Amino acid sequence: MIRGGRNNITSAPAFSKDAKKLLLCTANTVSVYSVATGLKITSLEDHTAPVTSVIVDPSSDETVSYCWTSSLDGKIRIWEFSAPKLLKIFDTHLPIHSLVMIPAQVSHSVIAYVSVEDYSSVSKDLFGQIRRYDLTQDPLHSGDTLKEMEEPKPIVLSPSGEFFGVCHNCSIHIWNVASEHLMPKETTLHHTELITVFAFHPNQRILAAGDVTGRVLIWKDNGIGEFTSVKTEDDTESCTTFNWHSAEVTVLNFSSDGALLYSGVKAGDFVVWELGTGKKQLLPKIGSPLLYFIFSSDSTLSSVICADNQIHLLKMPSMEILRTISGIKPPTPERHGFICYVKTRDICLTRTVSIDRSSGIAAFCTANHRVQLYNLLSDHDISEVQICDHHPDDDDQVRVLVTAVALSRNGSVMTTAEARFAASNFSEGIVSLKFWVFVPDSKTFSLSTVINQPHREAAITAIALNPARSMAVSISSAGDFKIWVCSSDKNLTPEDSNWICHGVGSYKRTPITAAVFSGDGSCLALAAKTVITIWHPLKNELLYVVGKANAPIMELSFTGGGFLIAASHGSTPHLSVWDLMTFCLSWSYRLYIEAIATEVDSPYFAVLTWLPESDRLVKSNEQIFRGKDGAILLFDGSGPKPVAIWTVMKARGGTLSFVEDGKKSQPLLAYVNRSHEYVLFDPYSDEKLETSAIDYEVFLAAISKKKKRSRKKALMSEKPWETMFCGSTLNFPPFPDLCASFFSSRMQKEVCERADRQPERHSS
């Protein structure tokens, strides 16, 4: 099993004491990276929920390195991360959102302060609590409550370990923990604006804070161990104010010697202030929203963590980027909120993830009109491609969206579709179809051909690439499709190749909603809303009309067993399986299907289904989904009985694909959720870990209003990523060999029938 694409930016990372390693909180694990190479060395895996804090213990040395971690599973763990080895677990029984550990030189006991979430609190509106735990107690007591708030807040510890604090609305609450046995003394600093971030000076009693207006405030000790609050907007006696930022401050930190203060905002702007004089210097813009900024024990090394899932290692004081640890970037915001509809108002135009099954490389549409190439097998970033150069500041009245991306079978060609819309009118705009070729030396794609308005003013609803030749098809809401081929001039380099239109077709001027090539590229299946058609792509001729569904078909896929899988969306969604030997419907389920994955030389196929929110609420007591919102169903092609079922999270907006792994004889199944987190696993594994037999009819009844009757049972994993079924060996011949001669015979028998179905078309 391979996991990847996880969010590296949920909490602040930590450098090892020797500054040679960087520890990142990645979902339920802590990933340890080499600072020198930017590659992952190892991971700390035992938490059962997202890790919220990682703290390197000051007692670590060159031979042994310790760290503390906390998680939403309610547990604090201590590790020897150089091994790696889990040493001990402390259970608070409450979700922990933040953790600080008091150094041994400050407290001779092992004291932890945590920010937890407790819904059993007496105060019904105060669910966040700051609690103190003495980890030397066995068993661990419930802890002392220092403060209650509306929600858990991150805790900041001073470098000396004497103070810690939290910011809450317009206040900062600070506790002095120097006293060993007594409860820490609290001081509250008040401000007139919402405080967004704060930091302690490394060796003096000085505190800096940033507010929502962009101001940076400096508080100094008044001589009796306390700070003085800001009383009014013009109060300059209580603290020093630095003004430059025009947006809220998101990162703030002192240099290791305390002479400089670094402040930054979400736009990526960085400023360094001289603490003594207040002079400022603008630093190179990072270019991504800033979340955290930390220093290492090496004064020449720091790290900035950005909201696009990138961690930059910086050379100080120049802020030069030495290297970047890059995860999969989050989806573009428009993917969730900016869904375009055409005249029929039921065709979604966003298909923003594509996976090359032969190499395991995936293309993700991300923010700023880019496509990120990512190796799923090695969980490593490859490169980024800038699809267009539109900047929102250039014209606020225009919205630009990359609506589709597709990779060829061998990863040598990529196609993208983009649309430019007026902010007030999403139904009309300029559409561009682009073809890209892979350049091995730079490990990225180079633009080959740009075609503007390929379907007149209609939007492109999908793109499919032929797996056997340089051919592609684009489909549109206007009722036509176009077949594109690459020019065959042998004197041209791949970068100079040109894509031209090979043919244009339509079926009764009905909007084309789905397209897919057969495994050998000899057939093209198109869905004209509810009607499934088969075409000869080279001759651009209609071969057969397979059948008609009850709702618009949004997904099509050929299997190696001679079946065509169709997924219909709308008020009556269906998964339907069509037998290409008889052109009859084999079976169907009323399911909401998000994605289909098929194998070229096997009858097995998998589908990703999701449960609508209303149904999920109604069926929440059935415990079928166990808190999940979707499922992956694996079929062997022999009938409607799924041979394995896995429940998953964030299914809607997800992607499913088989991926070939050179180390294994069987392909892996890749599931990418809507947050771009993914898992690859062997769907045919014979592992039997914590299995339970569940009648597949009961399961399907929970997600379908219409079920198939069968007394057979399927195995369902209680763990979302583990398969509990050992697939049987079925040696079906490839689809092209199975159906080629059959197609030829059918061509002669149905001349009259085809004449009635003849579409409007022309070739070029």
Side-chain angles (χ1 to χ4, degrees):
M1 184 183 299
I2 302 172
R3 298 177 187 271
R6 293 171 292 192
N7 194 335
N8 296 327
I9 58 176
T10 54
S11 58
F15 281 102
S16 61
K17 193 173 181 180
D18 60 5
K20 294 182 179 179
K21 300 180 182 69
L22 184 66
L23 285 68
L24 298 176
C25 299
T26 53
N28 297 1
T29 68
V30 174
S31 300
V32 183
Y33 284 83
S34 167
V35 170
T37 64
L39 301 177
K40 186 164 72 173
I41 303 172
T42 187
S43 60
L44 311 179
E45 300 182 5
D46 192 62
H47 284 290
T48 58
V51 179
T52 54
S53 299
V54 57
I55 303 166
V56 173
D57 195 291
S59 63
S60 303
D61 53 33
E62 295 181 358
T63 58
V64 181
S65 299
Y66 300 106
C67 73
W68 298 85
T69 60
S70 67
S71 167
L72 294 180
D73 62 13
K75 295 178 175 64
I76 300 171
R77 288 168 168 82
I78 182 169
W79 310 75
E80 182 184 340
F81 66 86
S82 55
K85 181 181 179 182
L86 176 61
L87 301 180
K88 195 169 182 179
I89 302 175
F90 308 88
D91 195 350
T92 67
H93 302 286
L94 292 171
I96 303 174
H97 289 256
S98 185
L99 164 74
V100 294
M101 298 297 302
I102 304 305
Q105 68 269 21
V106 178
S107 174
H108 297 297
S109 187
V110 183
I111 302 298
Y113 290 92
V114 297
S115 177
V116 298
E117 189 173 22
D118 184 7
Y119 283 98
S120 65
S121 173
V122 177
S123 302
K124 295 182 179 180
D125 297 328
L126 303 178
F127 302 122
Q129 295 180 358
I130 304 296
R131 290 195 180 189
R132 176 186 184 272
Y133 287 93
D134 186 344
L135 302 186
T136 61
Q137 296 177 345
D138 191 15
L140 191 65
H141 293 176
S142 60
D144 301 311
T145 301
L146 277 66
K147 194 169 192 64
E148 291 185 325
M149 295 169 288
E150 291 86 352
E151 59 185 11
K153 300 292 184 180
I155 307 175
V156 178
L157 181 69
S158 66
S160 66
E162 296 181 78
F163 298 92
F164 75 88
V166 296
C167 59
H168 180 216
N169 296 329
C170 300
S171 302
I172 302 177
H173 304 284
I174 304 168
W175 287 269
N176 186 334
V177 296
S179 176
E180 180 178 351
H181 299 290
L182 301 177
M183 288 289 287
K185 182 180 179 181
E186 180 183 354
T187 300
T188 301
L189 300 179
H190 298 285
H191 183 37
T192 57
E193 299 289 347
L194 182 67
I195 296 174
T196 55
V197 65
F198 72 100
F200 290 99
H201 194 277
N203 46 51
Q204 298 182 41
R205 290 187 174 180
I206 297 176
L207 182 143
D211 68 18
V212 71
T213 68
R215 287 187 298 177
V216 176
L217 304 98
I218 310 295
W219 279 278
K220 295 184 179 180
D221 188 348
N222 62 10
I224 58 173
E226 297 180 354
F227 299 93
T228 305
S229 299
V230 178
K231 300 175 182 177
T232 66
E233 290 283 352
D234 301 322
D235 190 349
T236 58
E237 296 181 359
S238 303
C239 67
T240 303
T241 303
F242 295 158
N243 284 290
W244 186 82
H245 298 294
S246 58
E248 69 176 83
V249 182
T250 58
V251 297
L252 200 64
N253 210 344
F254 289 94
S255 60
S256 55
D257 61 1
L260 303 174
L261 177 65
Y262 294 83
S263 63
V265 297
K266 276 192 175 181
D269 297 314
F270 251 121
V271 176
V272 58
W273 308 85
E274 291 185 10
L275 208 59
T277 64
K279 293 181 179 179
K280 68 177 181 295
Q281 178 185 351
L282 303 184
L283 297 174
K285 189 173 182 177
I286 298 297
S288 300
L290 307 175
L291 295 181
Y292 306 102
F293 180 55
I294 63 170
F295 281 94
S296 69
S297 57
D298 182 353
S299 60
T300 64
L301 177 66
S302 69
S303 177
V304 63
I305 295 82
C306 300
D308 59 0
N309 211 15
Q310 292 194 103
I311 296 92
H312 301 294
L313 298 172
L314 307 177
K315 181 180 180 181
M316 302 301 291
S318 64
M319 300 283 285
E320 174 189 353
I321 297 179
L322 298 175
R323 59 191 53 85
T324 299
I325 299 171
S326 182
I328 298 179
K329 293 188 174 183
T332 176
E334 288 87 348
R335 182 176 179 181
H336 300 302
F338 180 61
I339 298 178
C340 310
Y341 291 88
V342 290
K343 293 179 181 179
T344 56
R345 298 192 64 80
D346 57 6
I347 302 173
C348 178
L349 305 184
T350 52
R351 301 167 189 261
T352 55
V353 179
S354 179
I355 301 174
D356 171 21
R357 60 170 296 142
S358 65
S359 64
I361 294 176
F364 296 91
C365 292
T366 62
N368 301 321
H369 317 108
R370 294 184 177 184
V371 168
Q372 182 184 18
L373 303 176
Y374 201 89
N375 191 320
L376 301 182
L377 293 171
S378 62
D379 191 16
H380 193 267
D381 172 68
I382 299 174
S383 62
E384 279 191 286
V385 182
Q386 186 71 52
I387 303 302
C388 64
D389 294 325
H390 173 79
H391 300 286
D393 294 339
D394 295 341
D395 189 350
D396 293 335
Q397 300 303 314
V398 175
R399 299 287 298 275
V400 178
L401 180 67
V402 179
T403 59
V405 61
L407 286 175
S408 64
R409 177 70 59 86
N410 59 6
S412 62
V413 176
M414 179 176 73
T415 61
T416 60
E418 65 188 65
R420 295 173 181 263
F421 297 92
S424 59
N425 186 1
F426 291 160
S427 62
E428 298 180 2
I430 299 175
V431 178
S432 297
L433 177 66
K434 294 182 179 180
F435 291 88
W436 309 74
V437 294
F438 188 71
V439 182
D441 293 340
S442 58
K443 296 183 180 181
T444 189
F445 282 90
S446 175
L447 184 60
S448 168
T449 306
V450 179
I451 302 163
N452 292 318
Q453 302 293 70
H455 297 274
R456 299 180 297 278
E457 296 182 357
I460 296 175
T461 52
I463 309 169
L465 286 162
N466 193 305
R469 55 180 56 89
S470 297
M471 176 183 287
V473 61
S474 61
I475 61 177
S476 80
S477 57
D480 67 336
F481 67 89
K482 288 189 177 182
I483 298 174
W484 310 88
V485 295
C486 184
S487 59
S488 58
D489 191 341
K490 297 182 179 180
N491 296 322
L492 293 176
T493 62
E495 293 88 342
D496 296 328
S497 60
N498 189 39
W499 287 75
I500 59 175
C501 182
H502 174 71
V504 181
S506 67
Y507 182 78
K508 298 182 179 180
R509 306 305 300 176
T510 305
I512 309 297
T513 55
V516 66
F517 286 97
S518 60
D520 69 342
S522 62
C523 296
L524 171 64
L526 296 170
K529 290 196 72 174
T530 59
V531 179
I532 302 174
T533 61
I534 304 291
W535 297 71
H536 193 301
L538 289 175
K539 298 179 181 179
N540 194 27
E541 292 182 349
L542 176 66
L543 300 179
Y544 310 105
V545 175
V546 178
K548 185 175 182 180
N550 295 326
I553 298 169
M554 304 304 295
E555 296 283 343
L556 286 172
S557 190
F558 286 96
T559 71
F563 293 96
L564 183 64
I565 317 301
S568 301
H569 291 191
S571 58
T572 57
H574 272 83
L575 169 69
S576 55
V577 178
W578 298 82
D579 189 340
L580 293 177
M581 298 296 291
T582 62
F583 292 118
C584 294
L585 178 65
S586 179
W587 54 269
S588 68
Y589 283 122
R590 186 168 179 175
L591 298 175
Y592 293 88
I593 300 298
E594 188 68 26
I596 304 172
T598 57
E599 288 199 64
V600 178
D601 301 324
S602 168
Y604 282 87
F605 68 92
V607 299
L608 174 63
T609 181
W610 54 273
L611 189 65
E613 184 65 29
S614 57
D615 292 348
R616 198 179 314 140
L617 293 174
V618 172
K619 301 180 176 71
S620 59
N621 294 329
E622 297 182 14
Q623 298 298 314
I624 294 295
F625 276 76
R626 303 179 188 275
K628 310 299 190 300
D629 63 1
I632 299 172
L633 282 68
L634 180 68
F635 298 90
D636 63 4
S638 63
K641 170 186 173 296
V643 295
I645 301 172
W646 303 268
T647 53
V648 297
M649 289 293 293
K650 304 177 183 178
R652 192 168 191 184
T655 304
L656 204 62
S657 175
F658 285 98
V659 172
E660 297 171 8
D661 185 357
K663 301 177 182 178
K664 299 180 181 294
S665 57
Q666 296 274 22
L668 301 176
L669 186 59
Y671 166 60
V672 182
N673 68 22
R674 66 171 175 265
S675 297
H676 290 174
E677 301 162 331
Y678 70 86
V679 61
L680 288 91
F681 61 98
D682 182 359
Y684 314 109
S685 170
D686 58 356
E687 293 182 57
K688 301 290 191 301
L689 301 176
E690 299 183 26
T691 63
S692 62
I694 294 180
D695 192 323
Y696 86 98
E697 286 189 355
V698 176
F699 181 86
L700 291 173
I703 56 178
S704 170
K705 296 182 180 178
K706 182 179 181 181
K707 60 184 180 182
K708 288 290 181 179
R709 298 187 58 83
S710 174
R711 295 182 180 179
K712 298 181 180 180
K713 295 183 178 182
L715 292 175
M716 173 184 170
S717 167
E718 290 189 4
K719 295 185 177 181
W721 305 119
E722 295 174 357
T723 174
M724 307 307 152
F725 174 76
C726 181
S728 59
T729 303
L730 300 174
N731 296 317
F732 281 76
F735 170 76
D737 299 337
L738 189 68
C739 299
S741 59
F742 181 69
F743 275 170
S744 299
S745 63
R746 295 279 295 184
M747 285 282 290
Q748 299 176 0
K749 293 179 181 180
E750 299 189 4
V751 173
C752 296
E753 183 178 351
R754 284 182 50 206
D756 296 335
R757 303 169 181 162
Q758 193 69 21
E760 301 178 22
R761 69 177 189 276
H762 70 270
S763 300
S764 59

